[in-house]
Amino acid sequence: MLQFCVSQQSDAPPFAFKATGIRVYSFEEALYHVYRYWRESVDDFLSDGMVTWVTDLGLTYIAARMKDLAKVDSFAERMTGFLRLAEYFNEKEIADLRVNLTRWETRREWEQLKDRGDYFLSRGEPGKALPLYRRALQYDENVPLLNNLAVAFMRLSAYTEAVRHLARARVLEPDNIALTLHYAEAAILCGEYGKGEKALNQASPHDAAHAEGDIPYLYGLMAYEKQDYPAALARFEEAMKQNAAVPLYAYKMADTYLKMRQFDKALDALKRVDKPDEEYFTRQAEIYAVYGNIPAAIKAIQQALMGGDSVNLWVRLAAYYRKDYDLERANGAIVRALSLDASNDMARLENARIKKGLGRMREYQAGLADVLRGFKQRYRQE
């Protein structure tokens, strides 16, 4: 059935959703975004900024109804009411969504914020998870939240902050050995080896209750960070003997050989992983790339993609094509990445680099400015 847009202005300015970075040019596009990315839209869909944008579209009646909806207590009622402001979705679609909205609404505020933070962390975007975790901490301070906030900091290489939050988590649960080991890892990566070793000594008597191999692995990590690579290899080997089923031990062994510029041994270390997966082929590609064999790195990422679509893999593939001076294929790969997630920072940054390589300087400058704006917005939110 043909549907007419309520937004009739052809030169309408776009509205940019903060969490996804997606721009919409019509009210119908805004409805679809809220329906498709409802978790990421919670701060935008009835905001003053969107009301102003809808008013600028000439939809003053809808803008007035949005102001009324903003006063409704129930989140599920607010969002389903918003989705009904134009005849875009049928009642079954809204009813199906309402089940998830109601379930989500019944959870406490900190859990909702943590859920959204976990979503971005799982997508490999810890920078977007940080402000959500920090807001959640204003409602409740608990170990799962402090732990995941520390994970986000660690993925951003902000190890001092990770240590600080894990230390607070240990005050809440001093007998949590898994937490102690995580704290030890953060301390080691922070260069605070004394704190890391003390935590390992505290955890060692209880190691039997956890996955075998953790203690020698972390001692190996400490040696690795101190650039004592032979000692690190011995510890990682010990960890693998205790528990060969943990791929991380083989991966770190490969990293160590890579530091020693022993590329063949690094690749052999990877072969000790029983079931090659996305992480396996990604690390294989990294070794080939450091070795200077970009075509082999491209093939490894292509193998990884056989397991399923991944934004991060498409971004890596685009980067390797660019380094191999195949800019047309690089552009095709990054277009695919952006089609999966238009808000992904690494995809947007790589897109800008490729546009520069293609000589499309205006697109390069615009893309780079867009990425920087996103970083600044999140910095202000933090």
Side-chain angles (χ1 to χ4, degrees):
M1 181 178 70
L2 184 65
Q3 289 186 327
F4 294 96
C5 288
V6 295
S7 311
Q8 295 297 324
Q9 293 185 354
S10 59
D11 59 345
F15 177 85
F17 284 88
K18 293 176 184 176
T20 63
I22 295 174
R23 289 185 173 89
V24 295
Y25 293 82
S26 68
F27 187 65
E28 286 73 17
E29 287 179 284
L31 288 173
Y32 177 78
H33 184 284
V34 172
Y35 183 85
R36 173 66 177 80
Y37 303 103
W38 61 268
R39 286 185 182 85
E40 298 89 326
S41 303
V42 294
D43 294 327
D44 284 323
F45 77 104
L46 291 175
S47 66
D48 291 341
M50 176 166 275
V51 171
T52 300
W53 175 72
V54 171
T55 302
D56 291 343
L57 291 177
L59 305 175
T60 54
Y61 173 68
I62 289 179
R65 292 181 64 189
M66 287 171 63
K67 290 180 180 179
D68 291 335
L69 278 172
K71 301 174 185 176
V72 175
D73 290 334
S74 168
F75 166 70
E77 289 291 340
R78 290 198 303 274
M79 184 160 280
T80 54
F82 176 80
L83 295 174
R84 289 191 177 100
L85 288 176
E87 294 183 4
Y88 191 77
F89 298 104
N90 60 47
E91 282 303 312
K92 184 180 185 306
E93 290 173 315
I94 293 177
D96 288 344
L97 178 63
R98 187 187 179 88
V99 173
N100 290 327
L101 297 177
T102 303
R103 185 183 299 119
W104 195 66
E105 186 176 14
T106 59
R107 298 176 63 184
R108 288 178 292 179
E109 185 70 19
W110 76 266
E111 291 178 309
Q112 295 176 15
L113 290 165
K114 178 180 176 295
D115 188 40
R116 291 166 60 196
D118 292 348
Y119 169 78
F120 284 117
L121 201 61
S122 69
R123 294 203 315 182
E125 297 186 85
K128 292 182 179 180
L130 280 180
L132 294 167
Y133 289 143
R134 282 174 162 168
R135 282 171 57 191
L137 278 174
Q138 296 175 8
Y139 293 94
D140 187 46
E141 187 179 60
N142 58 71
V143 169
L145 188 51
L146 288 164
N147 180 79
N148 287 19
L149 177 58
V151 170
F153 276 122
M154 289 176 72
R155 292 185 184 177
L156 291 167
S157 299
Y159 301 119
T160 300
E161 285 295 311
V163 169
R164 184 166 69 86
H165 286 89
L166 286 168
R168 178 57 190 162
R170 292 185 71 201
V171 170
L172 299 178
E173 292 187 14
D175 297 327
N176 187 326
I177 302 305
L179 191 63
T180 299
L181 293 174
H182 196 185
Y183 171 84
E185 180 182 11
I188 290 167
L189 292 172
C190 189
E192 298 191 30
Y193 304 124
K195 289 182 179 179
E197 189 163 11
K198 182 178 179 181
L200 288 177
N201 289 336
Q202 291 171 343
S204 293
H206 308 278
D207 191 36
H210 298 273
E212 290 182 327
D214 285 348
I215 298 295
Y217 166 75
L218 289 171
Y219 276 115
L221 181 63
M222 191 183 305
Y224 176 88
E225 291 296 314
K226 292 179 178 180
Q227 299 183 17
D228 186 352
Y229 299 130
L233 288 171
R235 287 291 194 170
F236 295 145
E237 185 68 47
E238 182 184 349
M240 292 195 71
K241 286 180 180 177
Q242 289 187 18
N243 192 347
V246 179
L248 177 62
Y249 305 155
Y251 293 150
K252 204 62 189 178
M253 184 176 285
D255 288 344
T256 308
Y257 280 121
L258 193 59
K259 286 287 187 180
M260 299 169 73
R261 311 294 292 180
Q262 297 182 23
F263 302 107
D264 290 340
K265 288 186 177 180
L267 291 170
D268 287 340
L270 285 184
K271 293 176 183 177
R272 298 177 69 171
V273 174
D274 287 337
K275 297 179 180 178
D277 57 6
E278 177 182 322
E279 179 74 8
Y280 173 92
F281 289 114
T282 300
R283 286 177 176 270
Q284 187 182 65
E286 289 173 353
I287 295 170
Y288 282 129
V290 173
Y291 188 61
N293 191 345
I294 302 300
I298 289 171
K299 289 181 180 178
I301 295 298
Q302 289 172 336
Q303 283 184 283
L305 280 165
M306 293 175 66
D309 259 351
S310 163
V311 174
N312 293 334
L313 287 177
W314 282 108
V315 173
R316 283 181 179 272
L317 183 60
Y320 289 142
Y321 275 135
R322 174 174 55 82
K323 291 175 182 178
D324 202 37
Y325 305 102
D326 191 342
L327 294 175
E328 291 302 322
R329 281 196 173 94
N331 193 55
I334 206 62
V335 166
R336 178 56 183 161
L338 290 168
S339 73
L340 293 172
D341 183 4
S343 71
N344 185 280
D345 289 332
M346 296 308 298
R348 292 157 69 196
L349 188 58
E350 182 58 35
N351 184 45
R353 291 177 179 141
I354 292 168
K355 295 301 184 286
K356 182 180 181 181
L358 289 168
R360 291 149 64 171
M361 297 307 294
R362 285 189 178 181
E363 292 179 63
Y364 161 68
Q365 292 169 351
L368 194 59
D370 193 40
V371 173
L372 291 174
R373 274 195 300 272
F375 288 149
K376 288 178 181 178
Q377 285 177 356
R378 286 194 294 280
Y379 177 79
R380 293 191 189 102
Q381 290 172 358
E382 292 177 29

